[in-house]
Amino acid sequence: MAVGTQYLTEQPRLRTSSMVLGAIAVAALVAAPFFFYPVMLMSVLCFALFACAFNLLIGYVGLLSFGHAAFFGGAAYVTAHAAKVWGLEPLAAILLGVAGAAVMGAVIGFVAIRRQGIYFSMITLALSQMFAFICLQVPFTHGEDGIQGVPRGHLLGVVDLNQPLAMYYVTLAIFLFGFFAIWRIVNSPFGNILKAIRENERRAVSLGYRVDRYKLGAFVMSAALAGLAGGTKAIVFQFATLTDVQWQMSGEVILMTLLGGIGTLIGPIVGAGLVIALQNYLAASDFPVTVLIGIIFVICVLLFRRGIVGEVLELMRRRSKGAS
Amino acid sequence: MSTIFGIPAPALYGQILIGLINGSFYAMLSLGLAVIFGLLRVINFAHGAQYMLGAFAAYLLLNWLGIGYWPALILAPLIVGAVAVVIEKTMLSRLYGVDPLYGLLLTFGLALILEGAFRYWFGAAGQPYAPPQQLTGALNLGFMFLPIYRGWVVIASLVVCLGTWLLIEKTRLGAYLRAATENATLVQAFGVNVPLLLTLTYGLGAALAALAGVLAAPIYQVSPLMGSNLIIIVFAVVVVGGMGSILGAIVTGYVLGVLEGLTKVFYPEASSIVIFVIMAIVLLVRPAGLFGREE
């Protein structure tokens, strides 16, 4: 058992260096709004958290969900409605969005985990499309208009979130909380069982694990964290629309994760940053964004399936092997 | 005016007809998906884009070269099939042996490229495509008026589905294909050119989608996004039917189309989600799908 655990967790030698790197990264994120446009940074943070939540499922359980937009966009609707119509405090509104996403995750996950592999992807896609149709029809989402003019409000009734810097640091805190939660999940005994399921599901079953329960648990956690990202996004950008629940959004989060590196902790963050930067850059030109996203998909799948971070890690591993 | 369950009979028949037509497209598309998946183990996300390409090929043949509906019915599937053969040779064939999810992601990327490019060139609005002269007008069936073109689509799709089924079940080529689905290595050892078979199968599947696209062009407008909304419903159809059987894919397509049409009559608000609800119920009761085998 001890050997198995050691095999699955990160090597302790890497721990100190990655902690130093993490501290530098956090310091950079704290200083970032003084150098970059805060709105774009907040957009990157929200999508980075979304991609990390998605990666929890594909990277550590091996399940490709094609319907994560439902949790992201669903939570955005709930948070926007709670903040605007019920006048809830922003953090409470976001938490309500997370709860909504978790409930949806439990329902969709319960149906979807009955099939594996490629069927799982098709089922999650179909169910999230169903959710998008529902969002188009029910009155509280306001159809094509979406929920506009969501108030940012005062955090815990004290901090005015209409100040860009205050909003940025709250978003950063939420992102770091979500990232830390994912890191804890991945490196817990629960996370090790998830990886065991990814590597060999039948063996995990034969060892006595109730695989379906672990899968559903991971699915709900991933959905809730995607909801955390979506709810925060609704407060930051002050709207929730159909764009957030549609399949194109599910495709985008897959691309971010694939580009950065599936199954790496920071890959999704790198991918989200690149995709958002690219979209902002292309917004000014008339080159169609979907074409470029498609091209990146094709290149990633054909040439570097490990993603940017995954390829770098592989290169380092090979080099250290060559040295020893 | 006669009524059935409080619904005027013509409205009911009209919706059943619309359901049958939608079902025809579900059946043709899920058939192509099932054929491709059976042999290549790839879920062809670009299937919707290939359907759209078929419709656009017919539209462009008419507007650029003056080639009409009947030749387009043959030419468009050939063109799209040829494009698909190139895609299979240059890209998809590199992914055999890795996780099948990558095939899904590759074809998803291709679908985005195709749809994005056509939207860039032709805009998101639909372009009209007139049905051929021989098929305009309507027949009086006594209980309802049947637009001739719609009747033609239902019959043509039945013929296409039946033809494909016969090709796979009753011909030598079909026998190779079924054998390769069961065990590709063994079939190759018998001297069958399996890589060629894979290429042809992908081309055939894409050509079927394109044929559906040409048939759809006069009914729905020719628009870059016509495929992407349809393909997700077709995925649900495929999950309900189970990928195991060709016949299952066809039957499920028609049945779900008609059920969707009936929902439009009795509870219109649910008509856009009824297929997904059925999918969820089928998954809870029979996870392998109605015609599928447990793997």
Side-chain angles (χ1 to χ4, degrees):
Chain A
M1 187 66 197
V3 178
T5 319
Q6 209 168 29
Y7 173 72
L8 283 167
T9 47
E10 301 264 294
Q11 289 155 6
R13 193 161 48 86
L14 276 171
R15 277 267 166 90
T16 15
S17 62
S18 55
M19 270 172 80
V20 172
L21 281 176
I24 294 172
V26 170
L29 283 171
V30 169
F34 299 102
F35 302 97
F36 296 100
Y37 189 43
V39 172
M40 186 178 143
L41 288 175
M42 288 190 275
S43 164
V44 170
L45 286 176
C46 288
F47 279 99
L49 180 57
F50 183 24
C52 286
F54 168 79
N55 185 41
L56 178 62
L57 215 50
I58 175 80
Y60 297 96
V61 202
L63 294 172
L64 172 64
S65 161
F66 229 111
H68 256 49
F71 313 125
F72 182 76
Y77 273 129
V78 172
T79 301
H81 187 77
K84 189 183 176 185
V85 181
W86 297 338
L88 243 60
E89 185 272 332
L91 203 59
I94 291 174
L95 286 178
L96 209 60
V98 171
V103 170
M104 278 171 55
V107 174
I108 291 184
F110 184 72
V111 176
I113 56 165
R114 298 187 157 247
R115 298 303 302 269
Q116 293 149 1
I118 218 137
Y119 283 97
F120 178 86
S121 309
M122 291 163 69
I123 292 161
T124 45
L125 175 63
L127 290 174
S128 74
Q129 179 77 353
M130 176 172 99
F131 181 70
F133 276 127
I134 294 173
C135 287
L136 183 63
Q137 285 180 353
V138 293
F140 99 91
T141 58
H142 299 280
E144 302 277 354
D145 295 337
I147 304 177
Q148 308 271 358
V150 178
R152 278 185 179 174
H154 290 66
L155 183 73
L156 305 172
V158 185
V159 186
D160 184 6
L161 293 183
N162 290 307
Q163 303 283 337
L165 270 185
M167 188 71 244
Y168 174 78
Y169 286 119
V170 169
T171 311
L172 179 60
I174 291 174
F175 166 78
L176 289 175
F177 167 79
F179 185 73
F180 179 73
I182 291 168
W183 180 77
R184 280 299 303 143
I185 294 170
V186 168
N187 288 302
S188 68
F190 177 80
N192 283 342
I193 296 165
L194 293 183
K195 285 176 235 171
I197 294 171
R198 177 191 66 187
E199 294 305 320
N200 193 333
E201 183 163 344
R202 283 183 190 178
R203 182 170 288 177
V205 173
S206 78
L207 287 173
Y209 292 114
R210 297 201 168 177
V211 167
D212 277 0
R213 289 191 183 180
Y214 283 94
K215 279 188 185 171
L216 185 59
F219 196 90
V220 171
M221 287 177 201
S222 173
L225 286 161
L228 182 63
T232 310
K233 204 215 103 182
I235 294 290
V236 169
F237 291 95
Q238 304 184 284
F239 61 79
T241 59
L242 283 172
T243 318
D244 298 337
V245 293
Q246 270 157 351
W247 59 267
Q248 287 91 340
M249 183 62 80
S250 298
E252 244 169 66
V253 76
I254 295 173
L255 179 71
M256 289 169 182
T257 313
L258 180 68
L259 179 63
I262 290 172
T264 62
L265 268 177
I266 60 164
I269 304 172
V270 174
L274 280 173
V275 171
I276 298 287
L278 213 62
Q279 281 173 343
N280 271 19
Y281 180 71
L282 280 182
S285 78
D286 79 343
F287 189 83
V289 179
T290 39
V291 174
L292 189 80
I293 287 183
I295 292 173
I296 302 175
F297 252 110
V298 170
I299 293 174
C300 276
V301 169
L302 288 178
L303 299 180
F304 56 112
R305 284 189 278 279
R306 289 193 191 94
I308 294 170
V309 174
E311 292 291 346
V312 170
L313 286 178
E314 180 67 19
L315 210 69
M316 280 161 57
R317 198 168 302 150
R318 264 189 222 155
R319 191 162 289 178
S320 69
K321 238 183 206 169
S324 63
Chain B
M1 190 185 282
S2 62
T3 60
I4 299 171
F5 301 123
I7 307 284
L12 186 65
Y13 295 138
Q15 288 299 344
I16 291 178
L17 177 66
I18 292 178
L20 259 183
I21 287 170
N22 287 338
S24 304
F25 293 115
Y26 298 160
M28 276 189 283
L29 290 174
S30 60
L31 171 68
L33 273 182
V35 170
I36 293 174
F37 181 76
L39 192 57
L40 280 72
R41 295 278 135 188
V42 166
I43 292 289
N44 184 28
F45 211 122
H47 217 64
Q50 282 153 351
Y51 162 84
M52 178 272 290
L53 273 187
F56 260 102
Y59 172 79
L60 294 178
L61 281 172
L62 182 69
N63 285 297
W64 288 356
L65 304 173
I67 295 173
Y69 177 82
W70 299 105
L73 215 46
I74 312 274
L75 285 176
L78 284 179
I79 296 167
V80 177
V83 173
V85 163
V86 173
I87 288 172
E88 198 277 343
K89 274 282 169 212
T90 54
M91 297 183 222
L92 259 185
S93 58
R94 293 160 188 261
L95 296 178
Y96 301 144
V98 301
D99 194 319
L101 291 178
Y102 288 111
L104 180 75
L105 293 178
L106 177 84
T107 48
F108 178 66
L110 290 172
L112 289 181
I113 294 175
L114 288 171
E115 280 168 8
F118 273 79
R119 192 155 66 164
Y120 183 64
W121 288 324
F122 298 97
Q127 320 278 343
Y129 184 90
Q133 208 129 49
Q134 299 90 324
L135 299 177
T136 48
L139 276 180
N140 188 351
L141 296 181
F143 56 92
M144 68 177 290
F145 279 96
L146 173 71
I148 292 176
Y149 188 80
R150 299 190 170 217
W152 152 252
V153 166
V154 174
I155 293 167
S157 78
L158 276 172
V159 170
V160 168
C161 288
L162 200 68
T164 313
W165 181 73
L166 285 174
L167 173 75
I168 291 167
E169 294 293 327
K170 303 290 174 199
T171 66
R172 177 164 279 266
L173 188 68
Y176 287 157
L177 206 140
R178 277 177 291 135
T181 305
E182 291 291 328
N183 191 333
T185 326
L186 201 60
V187 174
Q188 184 136 31
F190 283 139
V192 176
N193 189 344
V194 170
L196 181 69
L197 204 58
L198 292 170
T199 309
L200 285 180
T201 305
Y202 191 70
L204 174 74
L208 272 175
L211 183 62
V214 182
L215 286 172
I219 296 185
Y220 314 111
Q221 291 194 315
V222 179
S223 99
L225 298 177
M226 64 193 288
S228 64
N229 295 323
L230 190 59
I231 191 67
I232 301 177
I233 298 177
V234 173
F235 277 178
V237 171
V238 162
V239 172
V240 172
M243 291 284 220
S245 101
I246 301 285
L247 213 54
I250 299 171
V251 172
T252 316
Y254 285 108
V255 169
L256 286 183
V258 172
L259 277 177
E260 191 186 33
L262 286 175
T263 316
K264 241 173 235 158
V265 181
F266 293 105
Y267 190 55
E269 292 82 3
S271 64
S272 54
I273 62 167
V274 62
I275 290 185
F276 302 119
V277 173
I278 293 172
M279 180 194 79
I281 295 170
V282 167
L283 279 171
L284 293 177
V285 180
R286 229 185 111 84
L290 295 179
F291 298 87
R293 288 175 293 185
E294 280 295 352
E295 278 161 44

